[in-house]
C-alpha cells in the first residue's frame, strides 16, 4: 500500500525533526563507515549542542537528539566531511556487510559503496529519491541480503552478484562490476514509477523497477535475517584485529564515543546497533578492549543485551506510550530471550528489526505486533 503523504519528512542532518525532547538530526553514514576524527567531531557536537548521547540506527546511521543549535551542528558536520552533498544528504542510505574486505565474504564491497555514494551525490535523476529508500551491498555472507533493503546485491561468487528487491532474490544475475550501475538503474526506474510510494515493496508491481533485467536463475529465494552483530575479538584475514562492540539499546554516550575515537582506527556502525573498530594491531586491540569493556560496551555474544532492542520511547517521542528502553532493560532480568525482542512505544514501530518479536506499548502493557498479511 502506498503512503498518502506527499512530502518526505524523514529527518536528516539539515532537515531536523521536532521530537518531544527537541530537534533530532540523522547523520547518514554510507555502509556505517566513518573515521576516528569524524566520530570525535560528532561526539563533541553532541556534548556542546545537544543531548550528550548518540543513537545508533538500524541502517548504520547516527542520530543526535535535543539539538539547541541546528545551524552550528550542520556547520560542524560539514567541516568534518559528513555532508559532502547537502542537497542529497538524506538519500545516502547504504548498508553493507560490515566486515567486508577484512574478514570472510566472497567480494570486497567497500569500493562499490564509495562508487554508489558518489553517484547518488551526482545523478540529477536521483535527487527525487525518498529518504527512506535503502540500498544494500552484501559480500556473499548473507548478513545484508535479508534486511529488506529496497535494492540490493548479494555476491554469489567472486565475479557475480544476485539482484535482490526488498529481501527477495529476483533471479537476475549481473557481474560484480555491473553491481553499482544495476542498483542505480533500479533506483532511477523507481523514481519514475513510484507515485507516492517511498519503498519498492509499496509498488503494485515491484518487479517493474527491473526494466530489461531478465532472470537467469531461480527467483523467490530469501536469506536468513541476522539480528545479532559481530562482537568480540575478530581476527581479520590480514592478521590484524577488529573489535566488535555492541551498544546496549543502541544508545552511545557521547563520552564513550570519544573513547572509540581515541583508538584512532577506522570505525563501522553496523545495522545491528554496534560498532566495529578495525585494522588494529594485537597490542592496541588488547588495550582498547580493556578500556572499552568496563564502560559498558558488549564484547560477549552470550550476553542478553544482544537479544533486545527498542525505539526511543518516552520521554523523547511524543507518540510513545511507555518508556520502552526501561522496559526492555527490565526484560533482561527475566532471562527468556530465545528470540530477539524489540520494544516500541506506538504502532508505527520505528526501527523494528526485520525478524524479531515486536512488542507494542498500549498504555497498559504490551501486545505483540501482528504479522503483515
Amino acid at each position: 500500500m502506498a503512503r498518502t503523504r506527499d512530502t518526505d519528512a524523514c529527518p536528516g542532518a539539515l532537515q531536523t525533526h521536532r521530537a518531544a525532547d527537541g530537534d533530532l538530526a540523522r547523520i547518514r553514514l554510507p555502509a556505517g563507515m566513518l573515521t576516528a576524527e569524524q566520530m570525535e567531531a560528532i561526539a563533541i557536537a553532541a556534548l556542546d549542542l545537544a543531548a550528550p548521547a548518540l543513537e545508533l540506527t538500524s541502517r548504520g546511521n547516527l542520530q543526535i537528539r535535543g539539538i539547541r543549535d541546528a545551524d552550528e551542528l550542520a556547520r560542524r558536520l560539514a567541516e568534518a566531511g559528513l555532508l559532502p552533498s547537502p542537497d542529497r544528504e538524506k538519500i545516502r542510505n547504504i548498508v553493507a556487510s560490515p566486515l567486508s574486505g577484512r574478514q570472510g565474504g566472497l567480494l570486497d564491497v567497500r569500493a562499490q559503496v564509495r562508487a554508489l555514494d558518489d553517484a547518488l551525490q551526482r545523478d540529477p535523476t536521483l535527487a527525487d529519491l525518498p529518504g527512506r529508500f535503502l540500498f544494500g551491498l552484501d559480500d556473499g555472507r548473507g548478513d545484508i541480503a535479508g534486511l529488506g533493503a529496497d535494492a540490493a546485491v548479494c555476491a554469489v561468487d567472486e565475479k557475480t552478484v544476485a539482484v535482490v528487491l526488498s529481501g527477495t532474490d529476483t533471479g537476475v544475475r549481473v557481474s560484480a562490476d555491473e553491481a553499482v550501475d544495476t542498483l542505480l538503474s533500479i533506483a532511477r526506474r523507481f523514481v519514475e514509477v513510484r507515485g507516492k510510494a517511498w519503498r519498492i515493496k509499496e509498488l503494485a508491481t515491484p518487479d517493474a523497477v527491473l526494466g530489461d533485467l531478465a532472470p537467469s536463475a531461480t527467483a523467490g529465494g530469501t536469506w536468513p535475517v541476522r539480528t545479532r552483530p559481530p562482537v568480540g575479538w575478530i581476527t581479520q584475514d590480514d592478521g590484524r584485529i577488529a573489535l566488535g562492540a555492541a551498544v546496549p539499546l543502541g544508545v552511545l554516550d557521547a563520552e564513550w564515543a570519544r573513547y572509540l575515537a581515541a583508538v584512532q582506527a577506522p570505525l563501522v556502525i553496523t545495522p545491528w546497533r554496534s560498532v566495529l573498530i578495525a585494522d588494529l594491531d594485537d597490542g592496541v586491540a588488547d588495550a582498547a578492549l580493556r578500556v572499552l569493556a568496563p564502560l559498558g560496551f558488549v564484547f560477549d555474544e552470550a550476553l542478553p543485551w544482544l537479544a533486545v532492542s527498542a525505539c526511543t520511547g518516552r520521554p523523547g517521542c511524543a507518540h510513545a506510550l511507555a518508556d520502552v528502553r526501561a522496559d526492555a532493560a527490565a526484560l533482561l532480568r527475566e532471562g527468556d530471550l530465545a528470540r530477539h525482542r524489540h520494544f516500541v512505544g506506538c504502532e508505527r514501530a520505528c526501527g523494528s528489526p526485520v525478524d524479531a518479536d515486536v512488542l507494542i506499548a498500549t498504555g497498559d502493557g504490551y501486545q505483540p505486533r501482528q504479522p503483515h498479511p
Side-chain angles (χ1 to χ4, degrees), residues 240-267:
R240 292 184 291 178
I241 304 301
L243 294 177
V247 178
L249 299 178
V251 181
L252 176 61
D253 183 278
E255 289 291 357
W256 290 20
R258 297 196 70 190
Y259 278 96
L260 288 174
V263 181
Q264 286 295 301
L267 300 168

Side-chain angles (χ1 to χ4, degrees), residues 12 26 30 40 46 66 117 126 148 162 180 182 187 193-194 196 198 213 217 220 225 236 246 263-264 291 363 373:
R26 183 174 299 155
E40 174 77 359
D117 185 34
L126 298 179
V180 171
T182 299
V193 304
R194 75 181 187 92
K196 295 181 179 180
W198 292 353
L213 295 171
V225 179
Q236 299 179 180
V263 181
Q264 286 295 301
V291 171

Side-chain angles (χ1 to χ4, degrees), residues 3-371:
R3 303 175 193 267
T4 57
R5 188 166 62 194
D6 293 325
T7 57
D8 181 2
C10 199
L14 299 176
Q15 178 183 305
T16 58
H17 166 71
R18 172 63 69 173
D21 56 351
D23 284 356
L24 176 152
R26 183 174 299 155
I27 306 166
R28 264 64 173 190
L29 303 171
M33 297 186 294
L34 74 167
T35 66
E37 291 75 18
Q38 288 173 329
M39 179 64 91
E40 174 77 359
I42 295 171
I44 292 178
L47 290 167
D48 291 348
L49 307 170
L54 310 173
E55 293 181 334
L56 281 60
T57 78
S58 59
R59 293 183 167 197
N61 297 319
L62 289 174
Q63 291 185 163
I64 299 178
R65 307 186 68 91
I67 299 166
R68 299 183 294 275
D69 189 337
D71 290 340
E72 174 61 13
L73 174 64
R75 187 194 70 78
R76 294 193 188 191
L77 295 178
E79 189 175 74
L82 291 161
L83 292 175
S85 179
D87 63 336
R88 307 291 181 91
E89 57 107 2
K90 292 206 301 178
I91 68 171
R92 299 171 65 225
N93 297 304
I94 306 170
V95 290
S97 301
L99 284 166
S100 189
R102 292 190 167 100
Q103 192 267 344
L106 299 173
L107 181 70
D108 185 349
V109 300
R110 290 176 295 178
Q112 294 174 329
V113 169
R114 290 188 286 270
L116 177 57
D117 185 34
D118 183 60
L120 289 175
Q121 296 175 48
R122 294 184 293 104
D123 191 315
T125 306
L126 298 179
D128 295 325
L129 201 62
R132 298 200 181 193
F133 192 95
L134 180 63
F135 296 94
L137 290 157
D138 191 312
D139 68 2
R141 74 187 69 218
D143 55 351
I144 296 299
L147 293 183
D150 292 275
V153 292
C154 180
V156 295
D157 57 42
E158 294 180 353
K159 296 183 178 180
T160 310
V161 298
V163 177
V164 184
L165 296 182
S166 303
T168 300
D169 188 351
T170 63
V172 174
R173 301 291 184 265
V174 299
S175 73
D177 291 340
E178 297 174 304
V180 171
D181 286 341
T182 299
L183 292 174
L184 292 169
S185 68
I186 290 171
R188 293 188 194 104
R189 281 189 284 271
F190 175 72
V191 170
E192 293 174 3
V193 304
R194 75 181 187 92
K196 295 181 179 180
W198 292 353
R199 307 293 304 274
I200 282 181
K201 64 184 178 182
E202 297 171 4
L203 297 175
T205 54
D207 286 352
V209 300
L210 292 174
D212 295 332
L213 295 171
S216 59
T218 303
T222 58
W223 286 259
V225 179
R226 176 171 294 185
T227 58
R228 295 187 176 218
V231 296
W233 184 283
I234 302 166
T235 302
Q236 299 179 180
D237 294 338
D238 63 4
R240 292 184 291 178
I241 304 301
L243 294 177
V247 178
L249 299 178
V251 181
L252 176 61
D253 183 278
E255 289 291 357
W256 290 20
R258 297 196 70 190
Y259 278 96
L260 288 174
V263 181
Q264 286 295 301
L267 300 168
V268 181
I269 308 299
T270 81
W272 306 281
R273 296 181 171 90
S274 70
V275 183
L276 282 175
I277 314 160
D279 303 340
L280 303 174
D281 294 333
D282 283 22
V284 175
D286 184 66
L289 189 62
R290 292 175 184 274
V291 171
L292 297 174
L295 291 176
F297 289 100
V298 177
F299 294 95
D300 184 350
E301 64 181 8
L303 292 180
W305 279 117
L306 274 66
V308 65
S309 57
C311 72
T312 297
R314 286 182 175 175
C317 178
H319 297 279
L321 300 176
D323 183 346
V324 293
R325 286 175 174 163
D327 292 339
L331 174 68
L332 298 180
R333 294 191 290 268
E334 298 180 12
D336 180 16
L337 294 172
R339 277 180 51 81
H340 189 100
R341 295 186 185 178
H342 183 72
F343 285 71
V344 295
C346 71
E347 291 186 353
R348 300 195 310 174
C350 294
S352 296
V354 176
D355 184 28
D357 292 334
V358 179
L359 302 176
I360 302 173
T362 64
D364 183 26
Y366 290 84
Q367 64 180 16
R369 181 177 65 177
Q370 297 302 312

